[in-house]
Amino acid sequence: MTAAMRAIRSTAGGALEWAEMPRPQPGGTEVLIRVEAAGVNPADWKSIEPSADGAAPVVIPGWDIAGTVVELGPGVTRFEVGDRVFGMPRFPERAGAYAQFATSRSREIARIPDGVDTVTAGAVPLAGLTAWQAVVDTLGVASGDRVLVHAAAGGVGHLAVQIAKARGAEVWGTASERNHGRLRELGVDHCIDYRTERFEDAADAMDAVVDLVGDGETSRRSLACLRRGGQLVSISPVLPEPDLVADAGVTARFMLVEPDASGLEGLAAMLADGSLEVVIAATQEMSSMSTLHSMARRGGSIGKYVATL
């Protein structure tokens, strides 16, 4: 008889419900994780929105996972039962993070450092890897670089500014004025209130821009902030027109986050040495995920929302 578990399931009408579901079994090179915390990301609710015909997928949403390995599939060599781990399995395929148990390929997760609590670890994977892969892998930010991060107070942004700062960059960040004090505590050198000032007037000769707004217009306007030879990376495929990019003498790229054990280990090292602080906007029990989704979608608070089990 297949073991059961409790999980959050989306409905055909786009709602969320707490339901009994079959417990997944780890296949080759996979581990079974008892989930203790699951971060909430915009990708979670976007992935279960109804289509044009009004139907929504009936699935277990979510990608961010932190918990304990309880079973090893065949061929796993990196982990043992009892290891505390975190990760973003399978993205953009389904991971089923909103559940008591989830499986992951063993090379898509990493160990949680000693002294780091599970809620913090559960907030990191998707946002942290997006920030890491943008700042470190794509832009190659180095000491002395001038870096502008849009939506600096968001789940990804507040991590991106810290990663850039830890690599020796001078950091600008756009955010509403109420979040400027906290962003300065996280290392932002120059805060820009996007509601009252044009960021093009406050940031120039940038070596790199990280566009976490993704509306297309922000990337286009950001070309004026870059020095010739500078780089822009966006979480949206809607980039400035090629002729505008060429005229500015810069590069502009779209980046989609992907599972990455090496990046997770880099983030884990920063968590362990205290150079990365994860701000938790709110937590709720997973059974109250609808409430947590509503809070996250309203936004306005710095940091990440996390469901606990």
Side-chain angles (χ1 to χ4, degrees):
M1 183 176 179
T2 302
M5 67 175 182
R6 301 288 285 175
I8 293 293
R9 177 175 61 191
S10 60
T11 69
L16 297 172
E17 62 182 7
W18 191 227
E20 187 168 292
M21 304 282 286
R23 182 187 299 185
Q25 298 298 310
T29 74
E30 293 184 343
V31 301
L32 179 67
I33 301 167
R34 183 176 66 245
V35 179
E36 296 161 22
V40 174
N41 300 286
D44 299 357
W45 61 76
K46 290 177 181 178
S47 74
I48 57 173
E49 289 177 342
S51 61
D53 62 7
V58 179
V59 295
I60 301 173
W63 281 278
D64 280 350
I65 291 173
T68 302
V69 174
V70 294
E71 186 178 342
L72 305 178
V76 174
T77 60
R78 298 184 69 235
F79 298 101
E80 301 291 343
V81 170
D83 285 344
R84 298 171 65 237
V85 297
F86 72 130
M88 182 194 72
R90 308 183 195 283
F91 188 87
E93 301 169 23
R94 298 285 180 188
Y98 292 2
Q100 291 178 313
F101 295 90
T103 59
S104 172
R105 301 178 182 107
S106 67
R107 296 185 182 275
E108 294 183 348
I109 55 176
R111 287 179 177 82
I112 300 172
D114 292 340
V116 175
D117 64 88
T118 308
V119 169
T120 296
V124 168
L126 195 150
L129 283 175
T130 302
W132 184 275
Q133 290 168 13
V135 173
V136 179
D137 297 340
T138 302
L139 296 173
V141 169
S143 180
D145 282 352
R146 295 159 60 90
V147 179
L148 169 62
V149 178
H150 290 298
V156 178
H158 88 286
L159 302 178
V161 297
Q162 294 179 76
I163 294 169
K165 192 66 180 177
R167 296 176 71 82
E170 185 176 1
V171 180
W172 281 251
T174 62
S176 59
E177 194 278 334
R178 68 176 177 272
N179 289 321
H180 286 188
R182 190 70 179 95
L183 285 173
R184 291 189 181 97
E185 292 175 356
L186 295 175
V188 176
D189 300 290
H190 312 279
C191 294
I192 304 169
D193 185 352
Y194 66 91
R195 295 179 177 178
T196 61
E197 58 185 317
R198 288 171 54 83
F199 60 77
E200 305 97 311
D201 299 331
D204 63 351
M206 295 290 111
D207 295 286
V209 174
V210 182
D211 177 12
L212 302 173
V213 177
D215 60 358
E217 178 69 7
T218 299
S219 282
R220 187 189 64 79
R221 291 172 55 197
S222 293
L223 296 180
C225 299
L226 287 162
R227 65 166 177 81
R228 296 193 71 82
Q231 303 178 79
L232 179 146
V233 63
S234 174
I235 60 168
S236 169
V238 183
L239 295 172
E241 292 83 352
D243 59 335
L244 295 178
V245 175
D247 288 346
V250 302
T251 59
R253 286 176 282 181
F254 160 59
M255 190 207 82
L256 180 65
V257 68
E258 57 186 309
D260 176 12
S262 177
L264 287 171
E265 288 165 357
L267 293 163
M270 292 185 68
L271 291 170
D273 68 19
S275 59
L276 185 67
E277 179 183 350
V278 183
V279 178
I280 305 300
T283 61
Q284 292 275 344
E285 287 289 326
M286 191 173 287
S287 57
S288 300
M289 185 62 82
S290 293
T291 301
L292 198 59
H293 266 215
S294 295
M295 295 169 65
R297 295 184 77 156
R298 282 197 302 271
S301 298
I302 191 168
K304 283 293 299 288
Y305 295 80
V306 183
T308 59
L309 274 167

